[in-house]
Amino acid sequence: MTAIEESGIAAVAHRMFERNGVAGQVRLIRGNSRDVTLPEPVDVLVHEILGVDPLGESILPVIQDARRRFLRPGGIMIPGRLVLGCVGIDLPRSSPPEEVLSPQDSDLGAIYGIDLSAHRDALVAESREPAQRQFTSETLEPLLLTSELQVVELDFMQDHDLESFEVTRELLVQRSGTLRGVAVFFRARLDGQVELTNSPFTPSTHWGQFAVKLPRDLQVATGDRVGIRVSQKTTLGARRMSVELLS
C-alpha cells in the first residue's frame, strides 16, 4: 500500500501507522501526487481532495492525473463520483463586508502580525464576484429557502473540462422570503450506497458550507422557480464555483 501526502499531516500519518503496527505495510511518500511516480499501477485509488468549495482544491486536474498514471485498467476510485449541489438562502444583511469576503484574513493577520488586506483587494479586483461566507449546517438551516438542487454529477473515471463548465438550473422555493445567496456543497459517492457530504441537510462536518452572496436580492414565494447559472471561475489561480441569477 502506498500513501501520498504533500502537507505536514504526513508526519502525523507516519506516527499513526507506527502506533497501529502497520508502518511496514504502508509506503508513505511526502510530496504532490503530480510529482510522484509509482513503480507499478494500483487496483484501488482512494483520494480526499475536497474543500468547502468542492472545486477549490483543484480536485479534477489532480484526480485525472492520478487516474491516468497510477490506476490499473479496470481499477476503481474511491470516491468514484462527485455531485455538486446548491441551495438558495437568505443571507443576514448585517454581516460585516470584511467577514463575508474573506473570513480568514483577519484571523491570520492577527496570528502573524501582518496586514493581509492586499489579498482582499486582489480578490475584488480580479474577480469582481459577489462575496463569500462560510457556515455550518446548524447556522445555515434557518436561512434555507429552497430545496436541494443537484447541479452536476462528475464521474472521476472520465475527463472533465471545467474551463468551459457552465450549466443552467432552477431552484425550487420551499419557503417565502428574500433570496440573497446560494450555499454550495458536495456529495462524494464512495460506492453505490455510501457517500461523504457537507450538505446543509445533513449533520455538520468539519467542512461546513460556503455561501455566495448574489449581486441583488430577489423576493420569492413558495413554489417559485428561480433560474441560476453555475460555472467554474479561476481567481488568483484558485478554482471555485460561481452562481448567478438568470431572472
Side-chain angles (χ1 to χ4, degrees):
M1 180 183 297
T2 299
I4 304 172
E5 174 57 49
E6 183 177 21
S7 73
I9 199 67
V12 178
H14 179 69
R15 291 195 293 272
M16 289 185 66
F17 297 155
E18 289 183 327
R19 295 178 186 181
N20 288 276
V22 297
Q25 303 172 39
V26 182
R27 176 191 179 207
L28 179 61
I29 300 176
R30 178 74 180 268
N32 188 297
S33 66
R34 285 175 283 192
D35 299 324
V36 171
T37 300
L38 299 183
E40 59 182 5
V42 301
D43 296 312
V44 181
L45 197 160
V46 181
H47 60 92
E48 194 282 275
I49 315 175
L50 294 165
V52 178
D53 182 329
L55 304 179
E57 296 187 26
S58 299
I59 183 171
L60 284 178
V62 173
I63 293 307
Q64 289 174 174
D65 173 77
R67 188 194 74 235
R68 293 167 185 159
R69 297 192 301 112
F70 299 157
L71 194 62
R72 191 187 311 276
I76 62 173
M77 300 187 72
I78 302 174
R81 306 177 77 88
L82 181 70
V83 175
L84 307 182
C86 68
V87 59
I89 60 175
D90 180 355
L91 282 169
R93 301 185 65 178
S94 59
S95 301
E98 304 82 20
E99 176 190 359
V100 173
L101 178 61
S102 186
Q104 292 181 335
D105 278 355
S106 57
D107 294 339
L108 293 176
I111 292 172
Y112 295 108
I114 56 178
D115 184 349
L116 296 176
S117 60
H119 174 249
R120 183 172 61 248
D121 296 342
L123 285 174
V124 174
E126 174 81 10
S127 66
R128 293 183 173 83
E129 292 288 334
Q132 298 182 6
R133 182 179 178 184
Q134 190 167 339
F135 290 87
T136 65
S137 293
E138 288 75 18
T139 57
L140 195 59
E141 193 277 333
L143 308 176
L144 300 178
L145 294 180
T146 76
S147 56
E148 176 178 327
L149 173 66
Q150 178 173 316
V151 176
V152 67
E153 183 167 359
L154 304 172
D155 182 351
F156 286 131
M157 296 301 292
Q158 306 294 326
D159 287 341
H160 298 278
D161 178 17
L162 283 191
E163 298 301 330
S164 58
F165 169 72
E166 182 177 289
V167 296
T168 57
R169 296 288 187 266
E170 284 188 331
L171 291 166
L172 177 60
V173 178
Q174 300 286 352
R175 180 169 65 89
S176 299
T178 305
L179 181 64
R180 294 191 173 96
V182 177
V184 177
F185 56 91
F186 65 81
R187 291 185 180 276
R189 312 291 195 195
L190 305 187
D191 60 19
Q193 297 180 321
V194 181
E195 70 174 19
L196 185 66
T197 180
N198 67 335
S199 166
F201 298 98
T202 61
S204 288
T205 66
H206 75 281
W207 285 289
Q209 302 85 27
F210 90 88
V212 178
K213 187 178 187 307
L214 295 171
R216 60 184 175 86
D217 297 348
L218 183 65
Q219 296 298 319
V220 294
T222 303
D224 285 353
R225 292 182 178 273
V226 180
I228 58 172
R229 178 185 296 110
V230 184
S231 60
Q232 178 197 247
K233 300 291 185 183
T234 301
T235 304
L236 301 180
R239 299 167 187 258
R240 64 184 184 85
M241 288 180 64
S242 175
V243 183
E244 305 168 68
L245 283 174
L246 293 180
S247 57

